[in-house]
Amino acid sequence: MSAAVARPAGAGWLPEAGAPHGGGVDDGALDAGGLARAGWAGIWSNGAELMPAAGSVDPRPLAAMTLCLEVTVPPVGRHAAVRLWQGAAEAGSAVALYAVADGRLRLVHGDVDCLTPPGFVQAGDTVALRYRSCARGRSDLVDIVNHDRGTMHRQRTGVARAARFDEALPRDPRFLSVCHVAAVAGFGVQAAELPAISADTWLMTAEGPRPVAQLSAGDMLITVTGERLPLRWIERRPRLCLGRAVPVRLRAPYFGLEDDLLLSPETHIMRDGPTVEYLFGQERVLVRAADLLGSAGAQRDTRRPVRDFFHIMLDDHACVAVDRCGVETALLSDVLAAEDGARRHDIAAVDRTPCLAKLDRAAAQALVAASARATGGRG
């Protein structure tokens, strides 16, 4: 794992080695030209062009390409299939996604043919696809998340394919009404489910508060409980901020914050106090940012379709201090799983066990409601 906090270039064309992260996306507002320079070929939300595809698509093969979709699965007949997406290229080369019988999803792209397990989806479920092709067959990935069931299907295909933009860009505008989020990038968009904080976040270090963008491996961070732990891995990655992936803004002065904090919806923060002890019998728990949206101090931030976020990992799983708010870091097991697809790693229990209990959605909502009653709606 690399500890560099570099901002690599945008789309990489063959025969360049490797697929860039596209981390050059700035935190400032970007027009379509800025997103294009960062490697994005087209971005749509609810049928609207947030970053329209160029009128003349470059036909050259890409070192890596990513198609991101979010769709609510329609009803499927017992012996039928529903096409959810079709690329603009000829049928044998275009990326296609189908909902098929027995609750499966099927992705087809040339020699790539992937099926989820039976019963993975049912009508009405919202699912997200991240399909990454790789010209060398080293970082290819099919990643499908069922947001309503909390399940994931992740698979490496092992197929080397130098894809073109037209293989993923929509053949017909009507597919943009089927998939309410769609994006195509000319680089390998990496996993987004790791804990993530925005590039303008300040973390407490042994030398005082510092911007996360200025940190590097070996820096000593201060956890919310006062421990000092070395930073072992940090990486800046672009993140699509649409649909269920819209980040959560925690507003100051709630949650012990002096300034607003932007998190990915999957990131957990630490909660403590009498209400936590009364409800769960524990001094501290972890609550997912998306499950705080019913509280006064949390809201969805839909202002930008793409942002840079940072992932960090310490020696142990812990909550770093952002003012007086504890924000979880990544577990080694999750970092390895996100990078290596379906492969498993024999690692110590401490590297796959959260430092605190994580509340499920129902428990988190109970905590939000109880905290609102205890504070009169102020937090």
Side-chain angles (χ1 to χ4, degrees):
M1 294 178 294
S2 170
V5 193
R7 297 186 118 198
W13 305 101
L14 289 178
E16 296 178 9
H21 296 313
V25 177
D26 192 85
D27 274 346
L30 289 177
D31 58 13
L35 287 168
R37 287 190 295 274
W40 297 90
I43 302 174
W44 299 266
S45 178
N46 295 316
E49 292 181 328
L50 304 183
M51 185 245 159
S56 177
V57 177
D58 197 314
R60 291 178 292 175
L62 294 154
M65 183 187 71
T66 306
L67 171 65
C68 297
L69 301 174
E70 187 174 291
V71 58
T72 299
V73 178
V76 180
R78 180 175 298 180
H79 303 292
V82 176
R83 185 165 53 184
L84 305 174
W85 188 263
Q86 180 78 28
E90 59 276 11
S93 299
V95 182
L97 179 67
Y98 301 90
V100 298
D102 301 325
R104 296 172 182 252
L105 294 178
R106 182 185 182 192
L107 178 90
V108 180
H109 184 207
D111 293 334
V112 174
D113 194 341
C114 297
L115 269 172
T116 65
F120 184 78
V121 296
Q122 64 182 14
D125 287 350
T126 297
V127 298
L129 165 76
R130 177 174 61 102
Y131 168 54
R132 191 171 67 199
S133 67
C134 175
R136 293 166 178 81
R138 297 176 182 175
S139 61
D140 56 280
L141 191 67
V142 178
D143 196 358
I144 305 176
V145 177
N146 187 323
H147 287 293
D148 293 314
R149 300 191 182 193
T151 54
M152 175 187 295
H153 176 75
R154 177 172 285 157
Q155 179 179 344
R156 293 287 301 277
T157 70
V159 176
R161 185 177 183 89
R164 307 184 311 269
F165 277 134
D166 68 329
E167 296 176 17
L169 292 168
R171 172 176 293 185
D172 191 298
R174 286 175 291 183
F175 286 116
L176 299 171
S177 63
V178 176
C179 296
H180 47 265
V181 171
V184 178
F187 57 92
V189 175
Q190 294 177 290
E193 69 269 15
L194 296 173
I197 53 180
S198 64
D200 58 354
T201 303
W202 288 64
L203 298 179
M204 184 59 66
T205 74
E207 291 77 35
R210 291 177 59 192
V212 65
Q214 295 181 8
L215 299 178
S216 58
D219 287 339
M220 198 68 66
L221 298 186
I222 308 298
T223 72
V224 73
T225 55
E227 298 176 271
R228 295 189 176 200
L229 292 174
L231 178 60
R232 292 306 184 194
W233 172 78
I234 181 169
E235 189 162 308
R236 183 174 192 149
R237 296 177 177 176
R239 178 185 174 92
L240 193 64
C241 298
L242 299 171
R244 296 290 183 94
V246 167
V248 176
R249 180 171 295 278
L250 302 183
R251 299 189 297 123
Y254 299 98
F255 310 109
L257 293 168
E258 297 177 11
D259 294 293
D260 288 2
L261 172 63
L262 196 65
L263 305 169
S264 69
E266 303 87 0
T267 303
H268 291 74
I269 69 167
M270 192 190 77
R271 301 293 281 153
D272 57 11
T275 304
V276 169
E277 294 187 39
Y278 174 75
L279 289 177
F280 310 111
Q282 301 186 53
E283 186 178 352
R284 304 181 183 94
V285 294
L286 294 174
V287 182
R288 200 168 65 108
D291 295 332
L292 294 168
L293 287 171
S295 65
Q299 61 188 33
R300 288 160 54 91
D301 191 321
T302 61
R303 291 177 294 174
R304 299 173 193 166
V306 175
R307 292 178 182 266
D308 277 4
F309 278 79
F310 277 86
H311 307 290
I312 64 175
M313 184 179 70
L314 309 182
D315 260 356
D316 299 313
H317 190 247
C319 292
V320 291
V322 181
D323 302 324
R324 289 175 288 109
C325 179
V327 180
E328 72 163 333
T329 56
L331 276 164
L332 175 61
S333 59
D334 292 338
V335 173
L336 294 175
E339 296 302 319
D340 294 343
R343 285 187 250 170
R344 297 293 183 264
H345 298 264
D346 295 326
I347 58 176
V350 68
D351 290 322
R352 48 186 168 85
T353 305
C355 60
L356 297 169
K358 292 186 175 182
L359 300 187
D360 60 22
R361 180 168 177 76
Q365 289 177 332
L367 176 59
V368 168
S371 298
R373 289 193 299 269
T375 61
R378 295 187 300 275

